Amino acid sequence: MPVINRYIAKNNGNSLFRNNRLESETLLLLSRAKAENYTLPKAVDIIHVNTLLKKLFTSDILSLTDCLLNMAYNDTDISNFSLINWKNPWSITNLITHSSDWDNVSWNSGGGIKTPNTLETTAPDGSNTACKFDDTDASLSPGTTSKTDIFSNSTAITYSIYVKGGTALSRVFLLRNITTATNFTSGTFNCATGAISGGGWTSTSVGDGWYRLQYTKTTGISIGDQLQIYYGRLSGATVGATDTWYLWHPQLEDRSTSSPKFVETTSSPIYGNGISSKHGGLVYTEHGYEGNGVDGYIDTHFNPAITGIRYTLNDAGMSLVLYKGTGGSIVSGNFGATGGNLMTNDISITQRINQGNINSGNIDFFGIGLMSLNRNSATEIYGINKDVQTIQPVNSTSLFDSSLVLLERNGNYSTNGISIGLIGASISYEKAQNFRAYFNEYLKKIGLTPIA
């Protein structure tokens, strides 16, 4: 049953949905939220979301966007829903290369035998795409079943994998930080019962003897660290000469939980930004998210150099509506770094977009409302503060290669409050004013003050 039909049934056949056709973009947004088991907005507010999306689409604003985060719903129960990227809600990361190609040499069998696409069992989706691991002869020279060509793009990482027991009594799974030479907590999977022991590990039955294992680590990992996953045996483990087990759909994501959808990769990871992640003591209000000035920030998972489509070197924009302005960082580049893209809630020469650490003349982003920093040429940038535009000459240097974060810069955390953010191509002054009008109308409909 389509997601919206399920939603209508849950709400006793609410006629709002029959009288207001939902756009495909709205349906995708709802389907991701339902798959993640997020609380949805009230029915009438979904209609307001749909109306706003329709206006952004018909005005060509949505087509210029790579990442759109609306955090304002006048409902403090939907903090998770507010972090879904309206433009591409099903964009998901998998840092593991060759995630379906078990025949690739990067999948170490530890001296045993691996049989990709085994016919001995079907995978959870009914296909013959699982891989059988067999420890026959591995006891002669046991090694680890592990994969090492993985690099972190986040400080929060979740490892998930499907496993089915064969003749083995148990199998061991582990996430390791090679850069810091740190083994995180291992999980010992009981092949007979499907249970897994080890702090932080979970096991969920998906039928026919298959279980999805998951482990999340939010400390001890830095961006750029090399990681290693183990999927059956650790170094020095006792090896049964005929132990067998089956694996399917390994995934390593840049968030604190696993996604409901598997991402197939080849020789390179796939980076997604369908859901932003919140960190530290953020405060979620009816107006959106605000920092606590101590440790709260949002990682958009949008990396201009990797996930940018409309965002390019000389055609790029970052726009936010602030409901609370207290100075300090609004948008910055790499978490904990000083360089790269930057927007601050003040009058500053350091408003930067694709210009490295080069400053320009002052651009005023003081106060609340729409703050939009844009570049539509190689030689200048322009800022829009509500209805005031300022143009400053400054050359572009490079496309920033790191995830953009909100409310943090170089270890300094702000207390600003953000209602909505758009990242993508530059938006003109005219489109910025149209966006203000559309968003103000939306805010009024959901019972909030129109502050854009």
Side-chain angles (χ1 to χ4, degrees), residues 240-282:
T242 58
D243 284 349
T244 60
W245 70 105
Y246 306 91
L247 300 174
W248 189 65
H249 280 189
Q251 192 143 289
L252 212 65
E253 300 181 55
D254 50 359
R255 58 192 301 236
S256 56
T257 187
S258 60
S259 296
K261 179 181 176 182
F262 173 68
V263 176
E264 184 173 353
T265 64
T266 53
S267 59
S268 299
I270 288 180
Y271 300 95
N273 62 320
I275 298 179
S276 294
S277 58
K278 53 188 175 182
H279 300 265
L282 286 171

Side-chain angles (χ1 to χ4, degrees), residues 104-401:
N104 188 271
V105 294
S106 63
W107 291 105
N108 188 350
S109 65
I113 301 169
K114 61 179 181 179
T115 307
N117 304 318
T118 179
L119 299 179
E120 293 185 9
T121 187
T122 55
D125 67 348
S127 66
N128 293 116
T129 54
C131 184
K132 176 186 177 183
F133 282 78
D134 185 342
D135 271 347
T136 300
D137 296 331
S139 57
L140 301 177
S141 181
T144 62
T145 48
S146 68
K147 182 173 170 62
T148 61
D149 56 337
I150 305 166
F151 295 88
S152 174
N153 68 332
S154 174
T155 58
I157 293 293
T158 294
Y159 172 28
S160 63
I161 191 168
Y162 292 82
V163 59
K164 181 177 182 178
T167 59
L169 298 178
S170 64
R171 294 290 85 181
V172 180
F173 297 80
L174 175 74
L175 175 66
R176 171 179 170 80
N177 189 328
I178 294 177
T179 300
T180 62
T182 303
N183 286 349
F184 301 123
T185 305
S186 62
T188 301
F189 176 74
N190 185 315
C191 295
T193 67
I196 190 166
S197 60
W201 283 92
T202 62
S203 175
T204 304
S205 173
V206 296
D208 193 31
W210 283 98
Y211 294 83
R212 192 183 193 190
L213 309 184
Q214 175 180 308
Y215 176 77
T216 295
K217 191 64 180 172
T218 58
T219 60
I221 299 175
S222 298
I223 295 170
D225 283 355
Q226 184 177 3
L227 306 177
Q228 182 175 11
I229 57 170
Y230 294 77
Y231 38 86
R233 189 174 354 97
L234 307 185
S235 178
T238 301
V239 176
T242 58
D243 284 349
T244 60
W245 70 105
Y246 306 91
L247 300 174
W248 189 65
H249 280 189
Q251 192 143 289
L252 212 65
E253 300 181 55
D254 50 359
R255 58 192 301 236
S256 56
T257 187
S258 60
S259 296
K261 179 181 176 182
F262 173 68
V263 176
E264 184 173 353
T265 64
T266 53
S267 59
S268 299
I270 288 180
Y271 300 95
N273 62 320
I275 298 179
S276 294
S277 58
K278 53 188 175 182
H279 300 265
L282 286 171
V283 180
Y284 187 64
T285 76
E286 62 271 25
H287 301 280
Y289 272 105
E290 61 187 63
N292 64 350
V294 178
D295 60 2
Y297 73 98
I298 293 172
D299 185 343
T300 67
H301 300 297
F302 176 78
N303 181 323
I306 296 177
T307 51
I309 298 175
R310 297 309 309 268
Y311 186 112
T312 60
L313 177 61
N314 295 316
D315 187 8
M318 305 183 297
S319 304
L320 299 103
V321 172
L322 300 187
Y323 68 87
K324 179 183 177 183
T326 59
S329 176
I330 310 171
V331 182
S332 71
N334 190 3
F335 174 74
T338 58
N341 289 7
L342 178 64
M343 292 178 67
T344 58
N345 180 225
D346 52 24
I347 302 172
S348 176
I349 63 173
T350 61
Q351 317 288 11
R352 302 171 183 156
I353 184 165
N354 297 349
Q355 64 206 60
N357 294 333
I358 301 173
N359 295 333
S360 65
N362 278 326
I363 293 180
D364 179 5
F365 285 144
F366 186 75
I368 64 172
L370 176 67
M371 311 291 166
S372 180
L373 181 63
N374 299 273
R375 174 183 291 280
N376 62 1
S377 78
T379 58
E380 64 182 24
I381 62 175
Y382 60 96
I384 302 170
N385 184 336
K386 287 193 171 180
D387 60 355
V388 177
Q389 177 171 281
T390 304
I391 301 173
Q392 295 289 2
V394 60
N395 292 337
S396 60
T397 59
S398 60
L399 197 60
F400 192 68
D401 187 7

